[in-house]
Amino acid sequence: PASSADWRHRQQQVVRATQLAWAAYARDALGCDEYMPLSHRGRNFTHLGIGYLAADALDTLWLMGLRAEYAQARGFLAHQVTFDQRGAVSLFETTIRVLGGLLSAYHWSGESDTRLLVLADQLGTRLARSFNTSTGIPPETAILRSDGIPFAGDCSTSESATLQLEFRYLAKLTGNLEYRRQADRVIDVMLAAPKFAGLVPTRISATTGLFTGRDISLGSRGDSYYEYMLKQWLQTRRSEPDLRSEYDAAMAGVKKYLVATSPRQNLTYIGELLRVAGEYVQFSAKMDHLVCFLAGNLALGATNGSALADAPPLARRDLDDLALARELGETCAHMYFDTPSGLAPEIAYFRQDARESSDNQLLPDGDILVPPADRHYLLRPETVESFYLLWKITGEPKWREYGWRVFEAIDKWARVDNSGYASLDDVTQLPPPHRDSVEGFFVAETLKYLYLLFSDHDPVSLSDYVFNTEAHPLPVFSW
């Protein structure tokens, strides 16, 4: 097994990767909202940009001790970003990345860098106008300069339900409880809406407050609804039991309707339900990479963040959740290690019948099937996030070793000469072709979780912090 010195060395490899990624961005596109590493340029979401990548990277740079890079990112945000500009932005992405990033960096500054809190409050004020609909369910797009009533039709369930950790913490820090009221109102509407065995469709109507989507998924547009139900309960020191009840009901529904096992490799996976004639009856053996968050989330919910060795005896439900967490962690590892590159596709399908043949299987007699359109890898974090949480909670060293294998594959295939890292087009080809893009979550999440996974002295205690869905650690608090 790897020694402490090995893990320190591995952790330094992650720091080196972060420095490479940041240096290329800072050289070619500092301050831009998007970075294209192959063409050495950046792009903005609005005319002036909103500091998207800089805010997202702040706490990663801080936690890794990269003070010069941190000063560069912070300086840009403090002196060159204004939210008083024309343009529309994604409410969800801007909340989890920019607002979450500013709030986390303010906390980690010892709550001394008040410029970051002022920026967070200025952004929060503009984004919060989106909540002024008849039901409080916001539209997916926020207009930065708008005093009118926002228009919202059918909205993404996860996007509406993944704003609360950030706005509640902003309310706590500023004393402006209107932020809390608006964010909580969305959840109240969702708690009251009818569900299918605790599970929610992927769309919700902002006019009726009822769920409208035709599919139930723990992937895109569903995932972080379930994540934030648990994390909001943890955020306020487990003081809101209805949130935990809703999460537990949903996980019972997952175990009853969405969990399946593949016939040859015996892999436990999470499928989707499609509505037919008004009933959620048609099972689809489709699992987005995004669903891999659930392994860590189940482990977190089973012990509330305590290490298993320190936790009181677990109830049957929590033991079941932890067992499912481990099984899903193994499946998500297979999604990486069964491909030629050792990196996972965006979406996997699972064989349901041992006899069916497919051109899309990863291994000759394997159960994971990946159609050509789904073979890209965006340097996503969900699997290493779960490895990190499983390691912290179970103490089983294999999760760290899995994380190291993933990092080695990223470093081997996604690194671009003189330009940091890039997303990949096809994980089944060797070498996988590069895309001219790199997502902000690569530094904000993937590299941060790997750094913390390899740390012997993790600064983030799962009892004292909740990670928002962009891996920004926010402290728990009481109102």
Side-chain angles (χ1 to χ4, degrees), residues 18-321:
T18 306
Q19 289 175 298
L20 283 175
W22 180 263
Y25 166 66
R27 178 196 66 212
D28 293 336
L30 182 66
C32 287
D33 295 334
E34 282 187 293
Y35 176 44
M36 282 85 101
L38 306 188
S39 49
H40 300 281
R41 61 195 178 91
R43 227 183 4 217
N44 283 327
F45 295 140
T46 60
H47 179 58
L48 300 173
I50 53 169
Y52 210 67
L53 292 181
D56 220 1
L58 269 183
D59 57 8
T60 296
L61 300 173
W62 179 271
L63 289 167
M64 290 186 185
L66 297 174
R67 294 295 183 259
E69 291 88 343
Y70 179 89
Q72 220 177 1
R74 185 218 171 263
F76 177 81
L77 291 160
H79 304 303
Q80 290 181 257
V81 167
T82 175
F83 301 117
D84 180 16
Q85 55 171 293
R86 288 202 320 278
V89 295
S90 162
L91 174 63
F92 162 72
E93 298 287 2
T94 308
T95 298
I96 66 169
R97 298 179 191 223
V98 185
L99 184 58
L102 290 168
L103 290 170
S104 174
Y106 170 69
H107 167 78
W108 289 97
S109 78
E111 298 196 355
S112 65
D113 191 346
T114 50
R115 177 67 187 141
L116 297 178
L117 182 58
V118 167
L119 278 169
D121 194 24
Q122 289 172 347
L123 177 60
T125 299
R126 291 177 183 278
L127 296 180
R129 294 172 187 157
S130 297
F131 293 114
N132 295 328
T133 63
S134 59
T135 57
I137 304 283
E140 292 176 15
T141 302
I143 299 167
L144 290 172
R145 256 189 204 163
S146 167
D147 297 319
I149 300 292
F151 173 76
D154 272 9
C155 305
S156 157
T157 296
S158 64
E159 292 192 15
S160 307
T162 312
L163 310 164
Q164 287 68 24
L165 292 182
E166 299 79 5
F167 277 99
R168 284 153 47 112
Y169 185 44
L170 183 59
K172 174 71 176 174
L173 290 175
T174 60
N176 179 358
L177 295 183
E178 187 63 9
Y179 288 137
R180 175 193 180 184
R181 186 192 68 76
Q182 290 176 298
D184 283 352
R185 184 181 172 206
V186 175
I187 298 302
D188 290 340
V189 169
M190 290 185 171
L191 291 176
K195 303 175 184 67
F196 176 78
L199 304 172
V200 295
T202 52
R203 313 287 302 175
I204 186 167
S205 164
T207 44
T208 65
L210 300 175
F211 293 105
T212 60
R214 61 172 299 269
D215 56 327
I216 287 174
S217 168
L218 270 82
S220 179
R221 300 189 175 278
D223 48 3
S224 45
Y225 164 89
Y226 304 97
E227 177 189 354
Y228 269 36
M229 276 297 164
L230 174 68
K231 288 182 174 178
Q232 287 172 85
W233 178 72
L234 293 171
Q235 180 184 39
T236 52
R237 302 188 195 273
R238 310 179 213 167
S239 61
E240 299 165 272
D242 53 336
L243 298 171
R244 178 71 204 217
S245 301
E246 195 69 29
Y247 168 77
D248 287 329
M251 291 307 103
V254 166
K255 286 182 276 197
K256 184 169 182 181
Y257 291 103
L258 300 183
V259 174
T261 307
S262 74
R264 294 182 182 177
Q265 289 178 280
N266 209 29
L267 300 174
T268 300
Y269 64 93
I270 303 287
E272 299 183 354
L273 284 183
L274 307 176
R275 190 170 69 198
V276 178
E279 299 291 321
Y280 289 99
V281 291
Q282 187 179 326
F283 180 81
S284 167
K286 168 180 175 277
M287 179 165 151
D288 295 358
H289 186 288
L290 291 166
V291 180
C292 287
F293 91 92
L294 189 62
N297 213 69
L298 283 164
L300 183 64
T303 70
N304 301 327
S306 298
L308 210 45
D310 306 327
L314 299 189
R316 173 85 266 156
R317 178 198 71 205
D318 297 323
L319 289 169
D320 289 348
D321 283 0

Side-chain angles (χ1 to χ4, degrees), residues 7-28:
W7 288 115
R8 277 195 298 278
H9 174 70
R10 290 173 178 186
Q11 194 181 35
Q12 284 312 116
Q13 298 300 306
V14 178
V15 175
R16 174 191 55 79
T18 306
Q19 289 175 298
L20 283 175
W22 180 263
Y25 166 66
R27 178 196 66 212
D28 293 336

Side-chain angles (χ1 to χ4, degrees), residues 400-460:
R400 286 179 115 179
E401 294 291 351
Y402 288 172
W404 175 243
R405 283 175 67 182
V406 170
F407 175 76
E408 285 188 304
I410 289 172
D411 201 45
K412 180 172 185 176
W413 299 119
R415 185 145 40 119
V416 182
D417 285 344
N418 200 27
S419 254
Y421 294 79
S423 297
L424 300 173
D425 240 351
D426 185 345
V427 296
T428 67
Q429 276 186 42
L430 290 183
H434 288 123
R435 283 191 174 181
D436 192 14
S437 68
V438 60
E439 295 281 350
F441 52 62
F442 176 57
V443 168
E445 299 191 67
T446 308
L447 291 173
K448 182 189 288 135
Y449 280 127
L450 286 164
Y451 175 82
L452 295 175
L453 174 61
F454 302 160
S455 170
D456 281 333
H457 305 285
D458 185 351
V460 186

Side-chain angles (χ1 to χ4, degrees), residues 315-395:
R316 173 85 266 156
R317 178 198 71 205
D318 297 323
L319 289 169
D320 289 348
D321 283 0
L322 189 57
L324 180 57
R326 286 183 169 113
E327 290 170 23
L328 289 174
E330 288 288 347
T331 299
C332 291
H334 272 280
M335 285 167 67
Y336 280 76
F337 306 148
D338 288 3
T339 71
S341 62
L343 294 169
E346 178 73 357
I347 298 172
Y349 293 80
F350 287 81
R351 182 192 305 282
Q352 291 180 276
D353 181 344
R355 294 183 304 277
E356 73 180 283
S357 64
S358 170
D359 297 337
N360 295 325
Q361 60 201 35
L362 293 179
L363 296 178
D365 53 357
D367 287 329
I368 302 178
L369 317 173
V370 188
D374 300 320
R375 291 176 182 171
H376 50 291
Y377 177 59
L378 304 180
L379 306 174
R380 281 204 183 276
E382 292 79 18
T383 295
V384 295
E385 169 188 354
S386 284
F387 292 165
Y388 164 69
L389 291 167
L390 283 162
W391 156 247
K392 288 283 293 272
I393 285 162
T394 68

